[in-house]
Amino acid sequence: MKKRKFTTFDVILLIFMLGVVVVTLYPFLNILAISLNDATDTARGGLHILPREFTWANYEHIFNGNDRLLGAFGMSVLRTVVGTVTGILASTMLAYTLSRRDFVFNGPVSFILVITMFVSGGLIPEFLLIRELGLMNNFLVYILPMLLNAFNVIVIRSFMDGIPIALTESAKMDGAHDFTIFWKIIIPLSLPVIATVSLFLAVSQWNSWFDTYLYARSNINLTTLQFELMKILDNTQMSAGDITSGNAEYVANRTNPLSIQMAITIIATVPILLVYPFLQRYFVTGLTLGAVKS
Amino acid sequence: MKKHLSVLFMLMLVGLLTLAACGDDSTEGGSDNNDSDNNSEEKGSDEPVKLTFFSIDGSEKTFDDPVAQKLTEETGVILEMDYPVGGTDEAIPLMIAGGEYPDMIFAKGDLSKLIEAGGVIKLDDMIEERGDNLKAMYGEQIDRLRNSLEDPSIYQVGTYGVNDQVLQPSGSFQIQLDVLRELGYPEINTLAEFESALTEYYEKYPEINGQKTIPLSLQGSDWRWLVTVGNPAGWVAGFPDDGQWHVDNDTGDTQYKFILDEYREYFKWLNGMNAKGLLDPESFTHTQETYISKISTGRVLSVADQNWNIGDARSALIQSDMEERLFAPLPVVLEEGRKHQALKNYGFAGGWGIAISSTSEHPEKAFDFLDYIASEEGQILVNWGVEGEHYEVVDGKRVMFDDVREKLSSDSNYTKESGVGYYIYPFPNWGSAAVDSNGQSISINTKEDVMADLRDAEKETLDQYGMELWTDWFPAQDELEMSNHGAAYNISIPAGSDIQIIQQRADDITEQRITEAILADPDEFDGLWDQMLQELDDAGVEQLNEDMTELVKNIRELWGTN
């Protein structure tokens, strides 16, 4: 390959990209700095990318205040892994079925699917449904309700629509079953979109805490990291009780939730951030298809 | 490769099913245990009973601290405490939907939903039969617990102190100690005196620590608008805090407060402050964090705020050795003759409290627990802790151990670890001004303690004025009338009623228009204010006043204070 010339456009592009890096990185560094800064000192503001009075105290506060944190971390990882794998399987299977033009009930099934994107049952009916299904305090409550998400299915389906039909036809001629076609042709070709949707699923599994609160909080072994962090966060904030209890002065003088909040943010985000590099390569590769000659 | 994938998938499925089975087992095991607990209780053994308690203001806590153990010993009750994680509003509706209630519920304003759904029981009979401590505690004010004129039963007990006092007034104007020192400790009682004090100091010191001095800063960019912009107007006019209302204590006539002339006068003054450059121009745009950091640098000469809102700034000022930049609350009023109502006694507020659910298997146990907390012994326990562990009795007087007192004020987890002070709110409590049968304070925060907690700079300023506490500056509690309706903001407004809808509209108008008027050119102020009154009129404020008056009068009738 010939060495290309470094044009003015490249310079502008480089500066622009550097700008983007700074803009995206700064908030994160800022959060890190605040989380490592002395809680009282944080009130004075003016913190940027370096802590002014370095301390681990905020992290110590979080880890000392809750002995369930490690178990909850494990539960979060488990639900993320299991939820993502099962979720992606269910979504791709349905998406493939819907992408087949010879599927007779394509219209009605798509309609039922799409309608859930616009109308939801609401919190209380959902709660009652989960209870009637016997999913309360059961690990499956993290998995089953999140198995299918209309948006994800449609994303995968649109991608599969782009896979030439000639591929499946030729496989069929070679004697492959539908399941073989799905497993050996469709899935490998859909890796980019699978990676994308896996990321959606993993992030939403990792971040969700409200379902723990609603359905699983009485089983202590099932609480997740986000739920436990939420409880710690609640503790750092002044409640109406503190304000009216006559203890308000004491409480006001000693809590500065901002630093603790930021430490919680770091603990909650770093593990899931680590997933991104592993999925990155799929975003680049898969796009070079071209298996059919026209 | 493909084969591996399917194997992985199968493994995953197997694992999933196993886990699911585990989940089932453990919950069944849990309920089995509960059953056996209940059985043993019925047989009359001394095993403590587990009662679930849901508190909408609660926090993560187990019932195993020394105070809790003592409570279990006295009442035979172990509390399992639950609260809405993340502050969700749906907790009570979900409870009603599920039809499963904890034994005791502190639901605040959502109690009416529970009553409607039949989720809580009437307590009148139990109070009559076995509630001697509660009866003694509430005395005549027990009527304030009643639900409504149509249904005057009692469904709940507790939450606010029956006999409260204010030892640390705040919410109105607060001025920097250094301003008072610089000006030779003047008397500041009116807005005019307040303004000239700020002007004089500002002219002398246009900069503090190298940054521009801000004579007055407010925090009007979020909900705190109500705290730092709306409420100070009422204090300055010499009105008690009734939220967005002004109530005539003699007749019960209630008005939406911003239509009163006193409010026009106050905001006109604020408009003048802005025109003269004395008001922080960012007062309505900066975030809470910026506001706190401005105060923390010591360059804000005065605020109009509650202590609990600026606590962070106070800690930061003390930490960076700028005690002379702390604030003193001022009894500033519009003009001579008005009385600042910071120390007003609103009486027992009623309104919110702990209810006992209709599905509870041990309603008597739950009630006895609440009644015990209302006893003298119970109040001393929840306020002071366990004798010998947290305090000792010297010459017949309770003295808290020094290390306990120190930890209470410095260690944020101590209240939870020790239980000292944790079970006061929202349980029935005697209040901060109450005394026991020996005449000793029930609360650990006595006047002496507040005095001891003052910083040196504050003590020095108080000395110069010949005062012991900032409260000495304000008209004393017995100079002020006792409120006949509690505080108007505690009155629960029926959901979806005209009051709720019109008030929402009126609040939107006032917040926007008053801000506009403050920042306007002084010549335009009156025009803008009249325009706002017109808009309020169009929004139906007259009907709002009528409806709210009816609500207040109903309360007064129910309480027997009309």
Side-chain angles (χ1 to χ4, degrees):
Chain A
M1 208 167 116
K2 215 164 70 183
K3 211 173 186 181
R4 224 155 50 84
K5 247 175 76 185
F6 210 58
T7 62
T8 342
F9 180 71
D10 286 329
V11 176
I12 294 170
L13 202 65
L14 204 69
I15 291 169
F16 177 73
M17 286 304 176
L18 271 176
V20 171
V21 168
V22 169
V23 166
T24 44
L25 212 58
Y26 175 72
F28 200 77
L29 289 176
N30 186 239
I31 288 171
L32 193 65
I34 294 176
S35 78
L36 289 170
N37 196 53
D38 180 67
T40 317
D41 185 66
T42 303
R44 288 164 56 200
L47 283 169
H48 301 293
I49 55 171
L50 285 176
R52 194 164 39 219
E53 289 183 26
F54 183 84
T55 173
W56 288 109
N58 303 313
Y59 289 91
E60 278 166 19
H61 175 90
I62 293 169
F63 285 103
N64 290 343
N66 193 320
D67 43 15
R68 163 83 193 129
L69 226 47
L70 206 65
F73 178 79
M75 184 47 66
S76 273
V77 171
L78 190 70
R79 76 170 286 185
T80 304
V81 173
V82 177
T84 308
V85 173
T86 51
I88 204 74
L89 267 166
S91 309
T92 42
M93 281 178 176
L94 181 61
Y96 176 58
T97 316
L98 289 177
S99 75
R100 294 284 300 251
R101 264 152 241 166
D102 49 347
F103 177 48
V104 187
F105 300 111
N106 211 325
V109 172
S110 299
F111 182 73
I112 291 170
L113 189 71
V114 169
I115 218 164
T116 63
M117 289 173 72
F118 300 103
V119 190
S120 80
L123 184 63
I124 287 168
E126 194 183 318
F127 177 80
L128 292 176
L129 175 70
I130 298 281
R131 214 169 55 120
E132 293 310 309
L133 290 174
L135 290 178
M136 297 295 277
N137 298 315
N138 186 323
F139 180 74
L140 284 179
V141 80
Y142 295 144
I143 309 302
L144 293 183
M146 292 176 99
L147 220 45
L148 278 179
N149 171 309
F151 177 75
N152 290 345
V153 172
I154 289 169
V155 168
I156 302 175
R157 188 193 129 170
S158 319
F159 186 88
M160 286 177 175
D161 282 345
I163 297 175
I165 195 133
L167 276 179
T168 45
E169 277 166 2
S170 63
K172 204 163 220 165
M173 264 183 264
D174 290 338
H177 296 282
D178 278 336
F179 194 72
T180 322
I181 294 172
F182 173 69
W183 206 246
K184 297 203 166 162
I185 294 173
I186 301 298
I187 292 263
L189 286 177
S190 305
L191 279 181
V193 76
I194 287 176
T196 311
V197 172
S198 298
L199 208 58
F200 292 164
L201 283 170
V203 171
S204 72
Q205 282 281 5
W206 179 259
N207 283 345
S208 72
W209 63 271
F210 197 58
D211 52 358
T212 311
Y213 168 69
L214 286 178
Y215 310 125
R217 95 196 111 122
S218 22
N219 186 343
I220 181 109
N221 294 323
L222 283 179
T223 58
T224 55
L225 180 67
Q226 312 302 336
F227 180 68
E228 295 296 334
L229 290 177
M230 199 57 157
K231 291 204 279 195
I232 297 172
L233 190 64
D234 280 343
N235 281 348
T236 62
Q237 278 161 342
M238 245 198 305
S239 69
D242 295 323
I243 292 172
T244 47
S245 68
N247 254 5
E249 297 302 298
Y250 281 149
V251 183
N253 288 348
R254 74 192 179 206
T255 42
N256 182 311
L258 196 63
S259 282
I260 308 265
Q261 275 171 23
M262 293 310 160
I264 288 175
T265 311
I266 294 289
I267 296 173
T269 41
V270 166
I272 196 74
L273 275 181
L274 298 180
V275 175
Y276 280 79
F278 291 103
L279 289 172
Q280 190 122 39
R281 61 196 180 104
Y282 292 104
F283 297 129
V284 194
T285 53
L287 295 170
T288 51
L289 286 173
V292 186
K293 282 181 185 155
S294 50
Chain B
M1 166 73 192
K2 309 283 142 61
K3 211 162 221 161
H4 286 224
L5 259 182
S6 7
V7 170
L8 201 69
F9 173 51
M10 292 314 285
L11 270 177
M12 199 65 87
L13 264 185
V14 172
L16 197 61
L17 291 173
T18 324
L19 265 171
C22 286
D24 274 344
D25 280 354
S26 56
T27 45
E28 273 162 23
S31 55
D32 281 351
N33 286 341
N34 282 340
D35 288 347
S36 55
D37 276 357
N38 296 341
N39 290 338
S40 59
E41 208 266 327
E42 276 156 23
K43 280 176 210 143
S45 79
D46 289 340
E47 281 280 296
V49 185
K50 267 191 191 166
L51 292 180
T52 44
F53 169 51
F54 177 87
S55 164
I56 212 156
D57 271 345
S59 54
E60 178 73 1
K61 174 97 175 74
T62 46
F63 200 66
D64 54 5
D65 55 69
V67 173
Q69 281 165 8
K70 185 82 179 160
L71 281 170
T72 305
E73 203 177 294
E74 296 290 337
T75 61
V77 167
I78 295 175
L79 286 190
E80 262 179 36
M81 289 176 283
D82 191 12
Y83 77 105
V85 179
T88 166
D89 299 333
E90 306 292 340
I92 301 291
L94 279 170
M95 237 177 243
I96 295 171
E100 282 165 19
Y101 303 100
D103 296 295
M104 289 188 264
I105 310 170
F106 174 55
K108 283 196 181 171
D110 276 353
L111 182 79
S112 54
K113 294 179 189 157
L114 287 166
I115 294 175
E116 230 168 86
V120 291
I121 57 171
K122 296 182 181 181
L123 302 177
D124 306 63
D125 294 345
M126 279 205 268
I127 291 177
E128 204 48 56
E129 285 161 22
R130 51 203 302 163
D132 290 341
N133 292 322
L134 284 166
K135 265 194 285 185
M137 182 177 94
Y138 289 116
E140 280 178 7
Q141 302 201 50
I142 198 153
D143 286 335
R144 297 188 168 206
L145 291 169
R146 298 192 185 284
N147 183 38
S148 70
L149 273 181
E150 296 80 48
D151 176 15
S153 310
I154 295 175
Y155 289 96
Q156 56 182 354
V157 291
T159 306
Y160 290 111
V162 175
N163 187 0
D164 273 333
Q165 63 180 348
V166 179
L167 288 173
Q168 289 153 301
S170 79
S172 187
F173 284 116
Q174 308 206 33
I175 196 165
Q176 236 181 45
L177 301 176
D178 199 55
V179 177
L180 298 175
R181 185 196 54 78
E182 180 70 35
L183 304 181
Y185 303 102
E187 292 290 326
I188 301 179
N189 291 317
T190 63
L191 279 183
E193 287 165 357
F194 177 58
E195 183 180 335
S196 67
L198 290 180
T199 316
E200 200 176 320
Y201 189 91
Y202 182 42
E203 277 165 5
K204 265 190 194 165
Y205 301 98
E207 277 189 2
I208 291 175
N209 300 333
Q211 282 177 295
K212 196 177 171 307
T213 305
I214 301 170
L216 171 64
S217 189
L218 307 175
Q219 215 302 77
S221 67
D222 55 21
W223 59 269
R224 293 178 182 85
W225 190 94
L226 299 172
V227 179
T228 77
V229 185
N231 280 357
W235 292 121
V236 168
F239 299 145
D241 185 4
D242 270 312
Q244 297 292 76
W245 309 99
H246 175 73
V247 183
D248 184 324
N249 204 31
D250 296 326
T251 63
D253 285 328
T254 306
Q255 284 176 293
Y256 188 67
K257 70 178 182 182
F258 291 109
I259 61 176
L260 270 80
D261 279 341
E262 281 87 350
Y263 286 82
R264 178 199 285 258
E265 207 177 317
Y266 171 78
F267 288 114
K268 192 164 186 166
W269 172 80
L270 209 52
N271 167 276
M273 291 288 282
N274 180 54
K276 291 167 199 157
L278 295 173
L279 178 67
D280 182 356
E282 290 174 355
S283 286
F284 298 96
T285 46
H286 57 195
T287 62
Q288 171 73 5
E289 278 78 32
T290 316
Y291 171 69
I292 291 295
S293 71
K294 279 181 191 170
I295 300 174
S296 304
T297 55
R299 64 200 177 101
V300 177
L301 301 184
S302 67
V303 292
D305 210 337
Q306 295 280 354
N307 285 345
W308 50 254
N309 198 32
I310 51 174
D312 288 346
R314 182 186 165 88
S315 317
L317 283 170
I318 293 171
Q319 199 191 36
S320 39
D321 244 359
M322 291 195 283
E323 283 184 15
E324 77 281 6
R325 303 288 175 196
L326 296 175
F327 293 112
L330 289 175
V332 165
V333 285
L334 281 174
E335 69 263 320
E336 298 282 345
R338 289 180 188 271
K339 277 185 187 165
H340 201 289
Q341 309 257 344
L343 306 185
K344 187 179 177 76
N345 181 6
Y346 296 88
F348 173 59
W352 298 340
I354 297 177
I356 297 174
S357 78
S358 53
T359 54
S360 171
E361 288 176 24
H362 311 281
E364 281 91 10
K365 269 278 187 220
F367 183 82
D368 290 349
F369 180 80
L370 295 172
D371 190 56
Y372 175 77
I373 287 195
S375 69
E376 181 171 331
E377 199 187 322
Q379 281 295 294
I380 292 172
L381 175 62
V382 297
N383 278 283
W384 289 78
V386 180
E387 187 177 346
E389 194 163 346
H390 303 112
Y391 70 93
E392 58 186 346
V393 178
V394 183
D395 302 332
K397 288 202 123 196
R398 281 185 296 277
V399 181
M400 190 157 264
F401 292 132
D402 285 342
D403 61 320
V404 174
R405 199 173 271 286
E406 166 64 28
K407 279 188 202 155
L408 272 176
S409 61
S410 60
D411 180 353
S412 56
N413 282 323
Y414 188 71
T415 302
K416 273 191 183 168
E417 281 164 18
S418 63
V420 178
Y422 191 81
Y423 306 98
I424 302 176
Y425 175 99
F427 295 96
N429 69 85
W430 286 18
S432 52
V435 288
D436 67 8
S437 46
N438 296 326
Q440 284 180 56
S441 167
I442 285 286
S443 163
I444 61 164
N445 291 322
T446 60
K447 189 176 169 184
E448 288 72 33
D449 299 318
V450 175
M451 282 165 61
D453 283 344
L454 290 168
R455 311 297 302 187
D456 289 340
E458 291 171 307
K459 283 183 192 153
E460 197 196 316
T461 313
L462 284 164
D463 273 351
Q464 292 288 341
Y465 282 101
M467 299 191 297
E468 287 187 314
L469 271 184
W470 300 121
T471 46
D472 296 349
W473 234 338
F474 293 82
Q477 196 179 79
D478 33 311
E479 273 180 59
L480 311 166
E481 288 179 300
M482 168 107 159
S483 165
N484 288 325
H485 61 277
Y489 55 79
N490 262 326
I491 298 174
S492 61
I493 290 166
S497 64
D498 283 350
I499 303 183
Q500 199 185 31
I501 297 163
I502 304 174
Q503 194 204 335
Q504 182 61 53
R505 220 180 298 156
D507 287 351
D508 289 345
I509 294 171
T510 46
E511 209 171 309
Q512 200 183 339
R513 294 297 175 215
I514 290 177
T515 306
E516 220 176 291
I518 293 169
L519 300 177
D521 189 278
D523 296 337
E524 291 167 15
F525 180 85
D526 281 310
L528 286 167
W529 193 268
D530 290 335
Q531 197 188 327
M532 178 187 85
L533 291 181
Q534 184 59 45
E535 278 180 48
L536 285 174
D537 220 29
D538 296 342
V541 96
E542 216 160 294
Q543 194 202 337
L544 183 65
N545 293 342
E546 272 170 34
D547 290 357
M548 193 63 192
T549 301
E550 196 190 324
L551 221 54
V552 171
K553 285 191 169 164
N554 283 347
I555 290 273
R556 289 159 58 111
E557 198 180 330
L558 186 68
W559 291 5
T561 51
N562 54 346

PDB file of all heavy atoms in Angstrom, chain A residues 33-45:
ATOM      1  N   ALA A  33     -12.675  11.340  40.159  1.00  0.00           N
ATOM      2  CA  ALA A  33     -12.011  12.293  41.050  1.00  0.00           C
ATOM      3  C   ALA A  33     -12.887  12.586  42.267  1.00  0.00           C
ATOM      4  O   ALA A  33     -12.411  12.583  43.405  1.00  0.00           O
ATOM      5  CB  ALA A  33     -11.691  13.579  40.297  1.00  0.00           C
ATOM      6  N   ILE A  34     -14.178  12.824  42.037  1.00  0.00           N
ATOM      7  CA  ILE A  34     -15.067  13.144  43.157  1.00  0.00           C
ATOM      8  C   ILE A  34     -15.172  11.953  44.100  1.00  0.00           C
ATOM      9  O   ILE A  34     -15.192  12.105  45.317  1.00  0.00           O
ATOM     10  CB  ILE A  34     -16.455  13.562  42.642  1.00  0.00           C
ATOM     11  CG1 ILE A  34     -16.348  14.881  41.872  1.00  0.00           C
ATOM     12  CG2 ILE A  34     -17.441  13.725  43.791  1.00  0.00           C
ATOM     13  CD1 ILE A  34     -17.635  15.334  41.236  1.00  0.00           C
ATOM     14  N   SER A  35     -15.197  10.742  43.528  1.00  0.00           N
ATOM     15  CA  SER A  35     -15.354   9.561  44.375  1.00  0.00           C
ATOM     16  C   SER A  35     -14.116   9.318  45.229  1.00  0.00           C
ATOM     17  O   SER A  35     -14.187   8.654  46.246  1.00  0.00           O
ATOM     18  CB  SER A  35     -15.653   8.326  43.524  1.00  0.00           C
ATOM     19  OG  SER A  35     -14.479   7.845  42.927  1.00  0.00           O
ATOM     20  N   LEU A  36     -12.997   9.864  44.805  1.00  0.00           N
ATOM     21  CA  LEU A  36     -11.765   9.672  45.578  1.00  0.00           C
ATOM     22  C   LEU A  36     -11.434  10.892  46.429  1.00  0.00           C
ATOM     23  O   LEU A  36     -10.353  10.992  46.987  1.00  0.00           O
ATOM     24  CB  LEU A  36     -10.588   9.369  44.636  1.00  0.00           C
ATOM     25  CG  LEU A  36     -10.626   7.993  43.971  1.00  0.00           C
ATOM     26  CD1 LEU A  36      -9.563   7.887  42.896  1.00  0.00           C
ATOM     27  CD2 LEU A  36     -10.435   6.897  45.002  1.00  0.00           C
ATOM     28  N   ASN A  37     -12.366  11.825  46.507  1.00  0.00           N
ATOM     29  CA  ASN A  37     -12.103  13.054  47.250  1.00  0.00           C
ATOM     30  C   ASN A  37     -12.810  13.012  48.606  1.00  0.00           C
ATOM     31  O   ASN A  37     -13.848  12.377  48.752  1.00  0.00           O
ATOM     32  CB  ASN A  37     -12.594  14.250  46.443  1.00  0.00           C
ATOM     33  CG  ASN A  37     -12.015  15.547  46.942  1.00  0.00           C
ATOM     34  OD1 ASN A  37     -10.805  15.682  47.074  1.00  0.00           O
ATOM     35  ND2 ASN A  37     -12.887  16.495  47.242  1.00  0.00           N
ATOM     36  N   ASP A  38     -12.220  13.698  49.568  1.00  0.00           N
ATOM     37  CA  ASP A  38     -12.824  13.782  50.889  1.00  0.00           C
ATOM     38  C   ASP A  38     -14.251  14.329  50.794  1.00  0.00           C
ATOM     39  O   ASP A  38     -14.489  15.343  50.139  1.00  0.00           O
ATOM     40  CB  ASP A  38     -11.980  14.704  51.768  1.00  0.00           C
ATOM     41  CG  ASP A  38     -12.551  14.840  53.154  1.00  0.00           C
ATOM     42  OD1 ASP A  38     -12.542  13.850  53.883  1.00  0.00           O
ATOM     43  OD2 ASP A  38     -13.041  15.947  53.480  1.00  0.00           O
ATOM     44  N   ALA A  39     -15.205  13.652  51.457  1.00  0.00           N
ATOM     45  CA  ALA A  39     -16.618  13.963  51.259  1.00  0.00           C
ATOM     46  C   ALA A  39     -16.971  15.402  51.632  1.00  0.00           C
ATOM     47  O   ALA A  39     -17.715  16.072  50.923  1.00  0.00           O
ATOM     48  CB  ALA A  39     -17.484  12.994  52.052  1.00  0.00           C
ATOM     49  N   THR A  40     -16.437  15.885  52.732  1.00  0.00           N
ATOM     50  CA  THR A  40     -16.764  17.249  53.151  1.00  0.00           C
ATOM     51  C   THR A  40     -16.150  18.264  52.197  1.00  0.00           C
ATOM     52  O   THR A  40     -16.756  19.264  51.843  1.00  0.00           O
ATOM     53  CB  THR A  40     -16.231  17.519  54.567  1.00  0.00           C
ATOM     54  OG1 THR A  40     -16.500  16.388  55.370  1.00  0.00           O
ATOM     55  CG2 THR A  40     -16.877  18.737  55.161  1.00  0.00           C
ATOM     56  N   ASP A  41     -14.940  17.970  51.778  1.00  0.00           N
ATOM     57  CA  ASP A  41     -14.241  18.891  50.881  1.00  0.00           C
ATOM     58  C   ASP A  41     -14.956  19.010  49.540  1.00  0.00           C
ATOM     59  O   ASP A  41     -14.909  20.054  48.892  1.00  0.00           O
ATOM     60  CB  ASP A  41     -12.808  18.384  50.683  1.00  0.00           C
ATOM     61  CG  ASP A  41     -11.990  19.350  49.852  1.00  0.00           C
ATOM     62  OD1 ASP A  41     -11.755  20.455  50.345  1.00  0.00           O
ATOM     63  OD2 ASP A  41     -11.645  19.012  48.716  1.00  0.00           O
ATOM     64  N   THR A  42     -15.634  17.933  49.135  1.00  0.00           N
ATOM     65  CA  THR A  42     -16.350  17.955  47.862  1.00  0.00           C
ATOM     66  C   THR A  42     -17.364  19.091  47.804  1.00  0.00           C
ATOM     67  O   THR A  42     -17.607  19.659  46.740  1.00  0.00           O
ATOM     68  CB  THR A  42     -17.075  16.614  47.647  1.00  0.00           C
ATOM     69  OG1 THR A  42     -16.112  15.576  47.704  1.00  0.00           O
ATOM     70  CG2 THR A  42     -17.771  16.566  46.311  1.00  0.00           C
ATOM     71  N   ALA A  43     -17.923  19.444  48.959  1.00  0.00           N
ATOM     72  CA  ALA A  43     -18.940  20.497  48.992  1.00  0.00           C
ATOM     73  C   ALA A  43     -18.415  21.815  48.456  1.00  0.00           C
ATOM     74  O   ALA A  43     -19.170  22.647  47.983  1.00  0.00           O
ATOM     75  CB  ALA A  43     -19.449  20.681  50.414  1.00  0.00           C
ATOM     76  N   ARG A  44     -17.101  22.008  48.550  1.00  0.00           N
ATOM     77  CA  ARG A  44     -16.547  23.282  48.084  1.00  0.00           C
ATOM     78  C   ARG A  44     -16.519  23.383  46.572  1.00  0.00           C
ATOM     79  O   ARG A  44     -16.236  24.439  46.017  1.00  0.00           O
ATOM     80  CB  ARG A  44     -15.144  23.489  48.666  1.00  0.00           C
ATOM     81  CG  ARG A  44     -15.178  23.800  50.157  1.00  0.00           C
ATOM     82  CD  ARG A  44     -13.846  23.626  50.818  1.00  0.00           C
ATOM     83  NE  ARG A  44     -12.803  24.413  50.197  1.00  0.00           N
ATOM     84  CZ  ARG A  44     -11.512  24.161  50.334  1.00  0.00           C
ATOM     85  NH1 ARG A  44     -11.127  23.136  51.039  1.00  0.00           N
ATOM     86  NH2 ARG A  44     -10.635  24.932  49.746  1.00  0.00           N
ATOM     87  N   GLY A  45     -16.779  22.284  45.911  1.00  0.00           N
ATOM     88  CA  GLY A  45     -16.871  22.300  44.449  1.00  0.00           C
ATOM     89  C   GLY A  45     -15.519  22.479  43.775  1.00  0.00           C
ATOM     90  O   GLY A  45     -14.471  22.347  44.404  1.00  0.00           O
TER      91      GLY A  45
END
